[in-house]
Amino acid sequence: MIDHIAVDIGASSGRLVLGKLKEGKLILEEIHRFQNGFTERSGAYFWDIDYLLEQIIVGLKKAKRSGIRKCTLGIDTWAVDYVLLDANGNRIQEVYSYRDPRTDHIIEEINKLMSPSEIYAKTGIQQLSFNTLNQLYAHQSEELAQADKILMVPDYLYYRLSGRKMNEVTNVSTTQLLNLRTREFDDDLLHLLQLKREQFAELVEPSEVLGFVNEDLVKEYDLPECLLICVATHDTASAVLGVPSQSERTAAYISSGTWSLLGVELDHPINSQAAMQANYTNEWGAFGTYRFLKNIMGLWMIQEVRRQTRDSYSFAELAELATDAQGFRSLIPCNDARFLNPYNMAGEIRSSCLDSGQPIPHSIGEIARCIFDSLALSYRSYLIELEEIIGSTIEVVQIVGGGANNVLLCQLTADITGKEVQAGPTEATAIGNLAVQLIRARDIPNIHEVRKIIANSFEIKSYKPRKINGLQEAIQRWDRIHKMHNLNNQ
């Protein structure tokens, strides 16, 4: 049986993970792990895309040294960021990070040209300042005019390995440029950006075979013979594929990492007025599905707090300090734009609490507790919205990704939402990446069988709701803060 390798790159780290089926279970083995992050140059923020390609090659060299001679390979990364290529296939510009401030007021400009309701009816994608639509509108027009092809980040990495240019649908759907009805790039939105359809590549669905890694690369770096499989290249799409099966219970998922993505998997989009008003998105999924979800700021906030302490604490230590701190003392509206990329995250959290007349969190433990309390309360608010829009009661919340390791946050989510939380697997994104490869290789017949195998292969921890003191007062205070934030952003 051939080996399968997932390249899973998030905003803060990346990894190459080997997946094998053994006695009906999926076994994971990490081959290589590396750090990732954007850097600031002259007031702009960029990813080091060449470094990411180098790390993929380093990981494949390690795989070859470990005895892997042939494999399939799939790549997933974050969404919305893009690469411009000239007619010779060379990169025109460094790759902007979605946290770059150039899009801060672009939504208002675009809405003068096309109404938010018209854009949402076409695309079903929520309005976020960093959507690719807004980034391209803000991009230098001279460079856009030079672009022969516009690829998303994982598309570009596949291109560098294989020479094939394509736009994979789960990632490119986040551009806010795909039309739900035609399942193609929307002509009116392209016209708004003064772009042509030919400047994008062919649309490709997950599970398509893209060819082998370039022979010159294989020889130069002594790599395994890798057949490239197009997986669900948006890491959230892969993470949702990695959610274990729930039999008959109605489940919502939270893909908990740098972002918290809360939603449900559907076989149809919901681009109603209610969905638009609640700012839910319809990102395309693998195998004909849609990810109907809400973007929530997520663990980015605690990652930034940790970074500003020069990594003096592990994430486990920060969770322990938060557990010891007073609960619900200070709360913040997590989706406030002030937390997207502040100079000092801890300082911004303190300022937010001061502005809302709450006690200021001083210690690292108090700041961490403020973040975790506020995230769990956010989940409650958005689950209520979600149930109203889909017309169903959510019975269980499945948390996957790194946040599944955070016992405090998982238990708070159960306590505050009043729903059972099932946490795990933490490596859901790599698992979903591997799932597409396994299905394409005919090792497993379909995604339903994959999810049964996932449920039997990894530890899933259950958290039941408990009664906790002060919760109702905290919910009332949170609702006031949440309502005020929504009013200020209308």
Side-chain angles (χ1 to χ4, degrees):
M1 190 176 289
I2 194 169
D3 292 308
H4 307 287
I5 297 176
V7 178
D8 171 30
I9 306 176
S12 59
S13 67
R15 61 206 61 79
L16 275 74
V17 178
L18 175 67
K20 291 185 177 182
L21 280 178
K22 188 175 181 180
E23 297 177 355
K25 292 190 176 183
L26 181 59
I27 309 299
L28 303 183
E29 178 186 336
E30 188 174 286
I31 300 170
H32 179 54
R33 179 176 286 264
F34 53 94
Q35 295 300 307
N36 189 29
F38 56 84
T39 56
E40 186 268 336
R41 289 199 300 277
S42 302
Y45 295 90
F46 301 100
W47 302 104
D48 188 344
I49 197 79
D50 292 329
Y51 162 79
L52 297 181
L53 181 64
E54 290 167 5
Q55 292 303 309
I56 293 173
I57 290 172
V58 168
L60 290 176
K61 289 169 69 175
K62 288 183 178 180
K64 179 69 176 289
R65 289 198 298 269
S66 74
I68 297 173
R69 305 191 65 81
K70 292 185 177 183
C71 65
T72 65
L73 185 79
I75 303 172
D76 68 75
T77 77
W78 65 98
V80 303
D81 291 337
Y82 58 91
V83 185
L84 303 181
L85 300 181
D86 65 19
N88 296 316
N90 298 315
R91 197 171 67 246
I92 293 173
Q93 234 275 22
E94 295 302 312
V95 180
Y96 279 102
S97 165
Y98 61 85
R99 295 192 190 273
D100 186 89
R102 68 200 170 118
T103 60
D104 283 354
H105 302 290
I106 294 298
I107 286 178
E108 292 86 342
E109 293 186 35
I110 288 178
N111 287 347
K112 293 174 184 175
L113 303 174
M114 186 179 294
S115 70
S117 59
E118 185 177 359
I119 295 173
Y120 192 79
K122 287 173 174 289
T123 68
I125 299 297
Q126 69 185 124
Q127 282 207 327
L128 295 169
S129 64
F130 49 75
N131 284 349
T132 320
L133 170 66
N134 303 320
Q135 291 198 55
L136 289 170
Y137 189 88
H139 202 106
Q140 299 93 320
S141 57
E142 298 82 5
E143 288 185 352
L144 285 181
Q146 294 173 37
D148 179 70
K149 285 291 179 286
I150 302 172
L151 304 182
M152 308 305 285
V153 167
D155 301 339
Y156 176 75
L157 294 172
Y158 273 121
Y159 163 67
R160 288 294 304 274
L161 291 174
S162 69
R164 180 172 171 181
K165 298 170 187 171
M166 57 93 186
N167 288 137
E168 188 276 325
V169 296
T170 70
N171 207 305
V172 81
S173 73
T174 68
T175 62
Q176 210 173 15
L177 292 174
L178 292 188
N179 187 296
L180 285 171
R181 182 179 58 81
T182 65
R183 294 188 66 83
E184 251 295 347
F185 286 94
D186 185 82
D187 292 336
D188 296 332
L189 290 168
L190 291 181
H191 180 73
L192 185 151
L193 296 173
Q194 299 182 6
L195 292 174
K196 299 175 182 177
R197 173 62 181 90
E198 299 77 46
Q199 289 179 277
F200 294 87
E202 63 173 322
L203 291 176
V204 169
E205 298 276 350
S207 83
E208 183 161 330
V209 175
L210 302 177
F212 287 93
V213 170
N214 187 290
E215 191 174 336
D216 292 339
L217 288 175
V218 172
K219 289 179 178 177
E220 181 178 357
Y221 296 105
D222 190 24
L223 306 180
E225 183 182 305
C226 294
L227 181 65
L228 295 169
I229 306 294
C230 181
V231 298
T233 67
H234 184 189
D235 51 9
T236 305
S238 277
V240 172
L241 289 175
V243 174
S245 64
Q246 263 304 321
S247 62
E248 300 303 316
R249 293 202 289 178
T250 303
Y253 57 77
I254 300 174
S255 178
S256 177
T258 301
W259 289 91
S260 288
L261 296 312
L262 182 154
V264 291
E265 185 178 66
L266 301 174
D267 59 7
H268 62 279
I270 301 176
N271 59 338
S272 63
Q273 279 293 312
M276 185 190 77
Q277 291 298 327
N279 212 24
Y280 273 76
T281 203
N282 294 272
E283 296 174 354
W284 298 17
F287 309 117
T289 60
Y290 293 87
R291 303 186 309 282
F292 186 68
L293 60 83
K294 169 84 77 169
N295 282 59
I296 306 167
M297 200 67 73
L299 297 178
W300 156 256
M301 294 182 288
I302 198 69
Q303 290 168 355
E304 277 295 281
V305 169
R306 178 175 182 261
R307 184 183 66 82
Q308 287 159 3
T309 67
R310 300 183 183 275
D311 297 343
S312 299
Y313 304 90
S314 69
F315 289 117
E317 288 170 336
L318 288 169
E320 187 176 341
L321 289 170
T323 302
D324 294 338
Q326 179 184 341
F328 309 124
R329 180 174 178 268
S330 309
L331 305 172
I332 56 172
C334 299
N335 269 8
D336 195 315
R338 69 196 299 170
F339 303 121
L340 185 62
N341 191 22
Y343 175 74
N344 183 306
M345 183 63 77
E348 202 65 49
I349 289 170
R350 292 180 180 119
S351 294
S352 176
C353 293
L354 179 64
D355 292 346
S356 58
Q358 298 178 92
I360 297 172
H362 293 290
S363 70
I364 292 297
E366 288 174 341
I367 291 170
R369 185 59 187 250
C370 172
I371 291 171
F372 299 142
D373 284 346
S374 301
L375 278 173
L377 284 158
S378 296
Y379 299 161
R380 173 187 173 273
S381 294
Y382 297 134
L383 279 168
I384 292 170
E385 282 184 349
L386 180 63
E387 289 177 327
E388 290 175 352
I389 294 169
I390 67 173
S392 297
T393 299
I394 301 299
E395 298 172 86
V396 60
V397 178
Q398 296 177 276
I399 298 181
V400 297
N405 288 327
N406 190 319
V407 173
L408 174 62
L409 181 56
C410 291
Q411 186 62 63
L412 281 170
T413 302
D415 296 340
I416 292 170
T417 64
K419 301 181 187 296
E420 180 186 353
V421 167
Q422 292 193 352
T426 58
E427 294 290 351
T429 306
I431 292 167
N433 180 318
L434 291 164
V436 175
Q437 298 181 56
L438 288 161
I439 292 169
R440 180 65 205 196
R442 302 186 189 280
D443 293 341
I444 304 175
N446 53 55
I447 190 60
H448 305 294
E449 292 302 315
V450 170
R451 284 175 166 154
K452 291 178 184 177
I453 290 171
I454 292 169
N456 292 326
S457 300
F458 303 96
E459 180 183 4
I460 311 297
K461 188 170 182 180
S462 177
Y463 296 86
K464 299 293 179 62
R466 308 169 306 179
K467 291 185 178 180
I468 52 177
N469 294 329
L471 177 57
Q472 289 310 309
E473 184 278 328
I475 288 174
Q476 291 171 4
R477 179 156 42 97
W478 164 259
D479 286 343
R480 290 194 297 271
I481 293 168
H482 184 62
K483 182 178 180 181
M484 184 59 64
H485 170 256
N486 289 341
L487 288 172
N488 290 337
N489 285 274
Q490 284 182 350

